[in-house]
Amino acid sequence: MNEEDLNEAFHDVIVRSRPPESMDPGRALERARRARKRRQVRWAGAAVAALVVAAGAGPVLIANYTGNRSEAPLVAGDTGTTPSASTPTPVPTPTVVGTVAPKTRKSNDPWPEGQVDRTATVGPRADRAVTLMNNLSSSVPAGFSTPSLKFPDGRSMRWPQAQYASNDGEPDYWEYMATIPVQKGDRAGKLLVQSTTPDGKPATDPCTLARKFWGGTGACTVTDVSGKKVGVLTTNGHGSFDQWAAYRYDDGTVVYLAQAKKIDDSGRSPLTQPVFTNRQLAELATSAKFKISA
């Protein structure tokens, strides 16, 4: 070993055997300050980089915000020029509405709706006839009354009726009818209203329609009521009624309104004047309160 090797070995021993540096508080505080400054510099650089990225993405974000916000989420760098695919609106499938042919009565068919004969004595149809009677009573002009009078045998002179009117080979249809006594002083006459649901038969002129009521004969005139043509027939003194009006609606519903100055077999003196004039009778026949179409 020469002198140079000896010096190098001696230096190496001294370095490895040097004691650790003492914990000087001042030096430790200084090292902490320098480390804090280095961290602040790194954070500042990161913030600047973020601002640069945001500045570049800003116009894109604004464009997306001011456009249709429901099309797609806001993504930095997205130009917003490609709209998202819209969901097509489903086209409803047309519904075919079926038609039900009216029932045609056949021989030996049972009476409808559980009835024992043509007449409905309870249920909605009977109720409609009662309503028809009440509406007729409320239509009587001042000076007349509609008391609950009776025949000598005790039968009421006020009575409603709902009946199944179809015959064999005809479609189902119904007749609703109401009769009431009308009194003035000690004299009495009567009124009748009948509403028939559409029966499938063709329309006729107003006077032909009027003559179908109870086989009526007499002089008939056509009265115009706000464009509605009403047949008003005055009998020749025979039959139970002196006069009636007949009107057919476009749907086939037919209304008859009849009056008589006397009540047969009532034991009461007849009225000296009819309850309604021809015009009043025609107007009432077109009143919606007397129309029953079902």
Side-chain angles (χ1 to χ4, degrees):
M1 178 180 293
N2 55 27
E3 183 178 358
E4 183 177 353
D5 292 336
L6 181 61
N7 289 334
E8 184 176 349
F10 181 73
H11 178 74
D12 186 47
V13 170
I14 293 174
V15 171
R16 286 199 299 267
S17 61
R18 181 182 298 173
E21 298 180 358
S22 63
M23 292 297 294
D24 184 358
R27 294 183 64 184
L29 180 60
E30 181 63 23
R31 285 197 300 271
R33 287 173 178 170
R34 287 198 298 268
R36 180 181 178 185
K37 287 181 180 180
R38 286 195 298 270
R39 288 195 299 270
Q40 288 176 342
V41 170
R42 287 197 298 269
W43 291 343
V48 170
L51 288 174
V52 171
V53 173
V60 177
L61 295 176
I62 293 173
N64 277 288
Y65 182 78
T66 56
N68 185 352
R69 285 174 287 175
S70 64
E71 289 184 354
L74 302 180
V75 179
D78 186 2
T79 61
T81 58
T82 304
S84 61
S86 59
T87 303
T89 302
V91 178
T93 303
T95 301
V96 178
V97 179
T99 56
V100 179
K103 178 183 175 183
T104 300
R105 180 164 179 81
K106 300 179 180 62
S107 298
N108 301 321
D109 277 355
W111 297 113
E113 302 176 14
Q115 296 172 197
V116 297
D117 56 22
R118 287 187 178 274
T119 305
T121 56
V122 294
R125 297 192 185 278
D127 293 342
R128 290 171 196 159
V130 172
T131 300
L132 192 68
M133 182 177 67
N134 293 336
N135 287 338
L136 182 59
S137 295
S138 66
S139 302
V140 172
F144 295 90
S145 62
T146 58
S148 297
L149 302 179
K150 295 183 181 297
F151 288 100
D153 61 4
R155 291 179 295 117
S156 175
M157 295 183 187
R158 292 173 59 88
W159 57 278
Q161 177 176 287
Q163 72 165 1
Y164 178 73
S166 301
N167 293 314
D168 290 353
E170 293 183 335
D172 288 350
Y173 69 98
W174 290 77
E175 287 179 356
Y176 300 90
M177 185 172 63
T179 301
I180 62 171
V182 180
Q183 183 171 287
K184 187 172 186 178
D186 59 354
R187 296 175 176 271
K190 65 180 177 180
L191 296 174
L192 178 147
V193 63
Q194 177 179 298
S195 183
T196 305
T197 65
D199 58 7
K201 297 174 183 176
T204 60
D205 66 86
C207 282
T208 300
L209 181 67
R211 290 190 174 96
K212 290 182 178 180
F213 180 70
W214 286 23
T217 58
C220 180
T221 60
V222 177
T223 302
D224 186 289
V225 180
S226 300
K228 300 174 182 178
K229 306 301 182 183
V230 183
V232 180
L233 188 144
T234 302
T235 68
N236 51 16
H238 300 288
S240 299
F241 292 93
D242 304 322
Q243 194 175 46
W244 58 79
Y247 177 66
R248 184 184 190 276
Y249 285 86
D250 290 340
D251 67 356
T253 302
V254 174
V255 174
Y256 291 103
L257 185 62
Q259 63 181 354
K261 290 183 289 186
K262 67 176 181 177
I263 304 175
D264 294 331
D265 303 322
S266 67
R268 295 177 179 271
S269 300
L271 297 171
T272 58
Q273 68 182 88
V275 178
F276 298 113
T277 65
N278 286 14
R279 180 73 188 182
Q280 290 172 332
L281 205 63
E283 290 174 348
L284 276 176
T286 65
S287 174
K289 64 183 176 182
F290 296 136
K291 181 187 180 186
I292 305 177
S293 299

